[in-house]
Amino acid sequence: MEDSPLTRRRLLWGAAGAAGTALAAVGLPRLMGPEGKGRPALPHPGRKAPVAAGPPAMRSDPAVDYAPAVWVEASESNYTASDRPEAYPIEYVVIHLTTDILPVMFAKFKDAAERVSAHYMISATGTRIAQCVRERDVAWHSGSVWYNHRSIGIEHEGWTDQPVYTDKMYETSAVLTATICAKYDVPVDRDHILGHVEVPLSTHDDPGTVWDWDKYMNLVGTARRRIRT
């Protein structure tokens, strides 16, 4: 086999993907101590708590980049086809909050008039992962063309004024993020794993002040150390 940078990079992607899949299968239950229990916020009086509901459109697909995910494709009008990381380096992971339940978000991503998408969505319970845009393509998620071209966007089901960040959601998201970091050699630090609110000139405030960054980064770091590349 030719020992080229591209060959080595593809081997790295394959190893990271396989390791991430194995971690996702077993989960990270032992990484969470008693103090790590998430406490959902009190329900907003005029709004029901988000419920992780899998829409009928979900299906397994060999095209997914992350084996535990199911494929719920966004409209081609809502992302830019590309060939990353050859075309653009993948240097960031951006953490989002959906501000609505998953079926509504899937409908938005499929609506060509919405002009929005993300690579992945994770349910409030942390038991469902959907991939809506291939990692090689540019999802329109951060509000910044520059960051969109260089990042993977992960949506989490909930609202900023009523977040329900469960332990399982944190763990599921952390393994996905760690796998992306391993695949594309993204450093596991807060300079490269960002909240949507931290993207320069962002007009959004997700994932909100209740998102526990210390807890999340510890989980990502532990998962990343378990992935051999």
Side-chain angles (χ1 to χ4, degrees):
M1 180 182 294
E2 181 183 359
D3 186 21
S4 67
L6 178 57
T7 299
R8 288 195 295 273
R9 194 154 53 233
R10 285 174 175 164
L11 287 172
L12 179 66
W13 301 343
T21 299
L23 273 181
V26 300
L28 296 176
R30 295 182 182 178
L31 301 184
M32 306 294 297
E35 70 283 357
K37 298 291 185 183
R39 291 189 298 175
L42 291 174
H44 190 283
R47 184 180 289 166
K48 293 182 179 180
V51 178
M58 280 188 166
R59 62 186 177 86
S60 298
D61 195 301
V64 295
D65 297 295
Y66 185 60
V70 292
W71 182 241
V72 186
E73 186 174 15
S75 166
E76 292 182 358
S77 298
N78 289 337
Y79 66 89
T80 303
S82 187
D83 187 26
R84 302 188 307 167
E86 277 75 16
Y88 300 94
I90 294 175
E91 301 174 303
Y92 303 94
V93 177
V94 180
I95 301 300
H96 298 266
L97 185 65
T98 62
T99 70
D100 223 320
I101 59 175
L102 292 192
V104 173
M105 296 304 298
F106 291 137
K108 287 183 178 180
F109 285 8
K110 288 180 175 294
D111 184 346
E114 289 287 341
R115 313 292 288 174
V116 66
S117 63
H119 295 92
Y120 292 99
M121 280 201 275
I122 298 176
S123 69
T125 60
T127 57
R128 294 178 182 271
I129 307 173
Q131 182 171 1
C132 304
V133 177
R134 293 296 305 271
E135 291 176 5
R136 68 182 177 226
D137 295 328
V138 179
W140 300 348
H141 63 97
S142 76
S144 164
V145 173
W146 193 91
Y147 275 88
N148 282 349
H149 279 78
R150 293 163 177 81
S151 65
I152 300 290
I154 305 175
E155 291 274 6
H156 299 76
E157 186 180 30
W159 292 277
T160 52
D161 64 340
Q162 185 198 338
V164 183
Y165 296 134
T166 62
D167 287 349
K168 182 62 175 176
M169 174 189 270
Y170 277 118
E171 294 163 7
T172 298
S173 178
V175 174
L176 171 57
T177 294
T179 304
I180 292 166
C181 290
K183 188 185 297 186
Y184 301 109
D185 200 24
V186 176
V188 177
D189 59 40
R190 291 287 284 111
D191 290 328
H192 297 86
I193 301 174
L194 309 173
H196 192 181
V197 65
E198 296 168 318
V199 174
L201 304 180
S202 173
T203 58
H204 293 252
D205 57 6
D206 57 308
T209 57
V210 179
W211 180 266
D212 190 336
W213 280 107
D214 289 340
K215 172 179 177 177
Y216 186 67
M217 294 303 296
N218 284 336
L219 288 168
V220 175
T222 301
R224 176 64 186 90
R225 287 190 294 274
R226 293 183 176 184
I227 297 175
R228 296 182 177 86
T229 58

